[in-house]
Amino acid sequence: SAVISQKPSRDICQRGTSLTIQCQVDSQVTMMFWYRQQPGQSLTLIATANQGSEATYESGFVIDKFPISRPNLTFSTLTVSNMSPEDSSIYLCSVEDLGNTGELFFGEGSRLTVL
Amino acid sequence: LAKTTQPISMDSYEGQEVNITCSHNNIATNDYITWYQQFPSQGPRFIIQGYKTKVTNEVASLFIPADRKSSTLSLPRVSLSDTAVYYCLVAPGGGGGNKLTFGTGTQLKVEL
């Protein structure tokens, strides 16, 4: 299993500002995944972050809006840039089981409210 | 990735067995079926995974018919604390960086 810590757990932000979310894992992992969960909705994958290479973004998400860093095998950040109220969501960090079962472990999420 | 279809919501009472069915008609040969549970203000949590027939753990059972085009998550004797959203996902198993696509999920509400 993996224990994932996210910071901040929640924040209220002003329109036009940017916020960086941190994700720390208690073990080394190859890939980390960032998801977005809008109010009352399911989870949508934003991007996959590999250590030592550029993140891979899903359709509808771009690096300028959601820059991601992956400086080592236990840490990643997601920045939500130039925020608007539509960016109000829960952002979740996830990693895959080290035993390669395909199971995902999730952080508690970061709930962002943009005013 | 195979698309899944499951009921939007279900209601039950404490002590009852709850069965949530998921359809995945275009499941591939190497796909596994995985169910996650999500409580409010928490990330999803793995419940059970299977490939065919029946899988049981301390939390739930997963029934998969021979054609694997659907699966049923069975929660025995639910309690109020089982109120959550349950997601059915289908993706290649065995890890290797596979990305799980979450469908709409089923909101289960358990009442007294």
Side-chain angles (χ1 to χ4, degrees), chain A residues 2 4 6 33-37 41-44 90-95 103-110, chain B residues 34-48 84-89 100-105:
Chain A
I4 302 171
Q6 282 188 236
F33 306 101
W34 286 99
Y35 284 85
R36 180 176 74 181
Q37 187 170 30
Q41 303 296 314
S42 182
L43 286 79
T44 301
I90 300 173
Y91 293 86
L92 295 134
C93 172
S94 175
V95 302
E103 177 181 348
L104 287 182
F105 297 97
F106 287 84
E108 294 294 299
S110 298
Chain B
T34 310
W35 286 80
Y36 285 78
Q37 175 192 55
Q38 185 179 27
F39 297 112
S41 301
Q42 293 186 25
R45 181 176 69 102
F46 173 91
I47 301 176
I48 198 167
V85 179
Y86 293 82
Y87 293 99
C88 163
L89 296 93
L100 299 181
T101 299
F102 285 78
T104 57

Side-chain angles (χ1 to χ4, degrees), chain A residues 11 16 24 30 37-38 45-46 52 60 67 78 83 98-99 101 103:
Chain A
D11 206 341
Q24 179 75 52
T30 304
Q37 187 170 30
Q38 295 177 303
L45 181 65
I46 298 173
L78 170 76
M83 287 185 285
L98 298 178
T101 62
E103 177 181 348

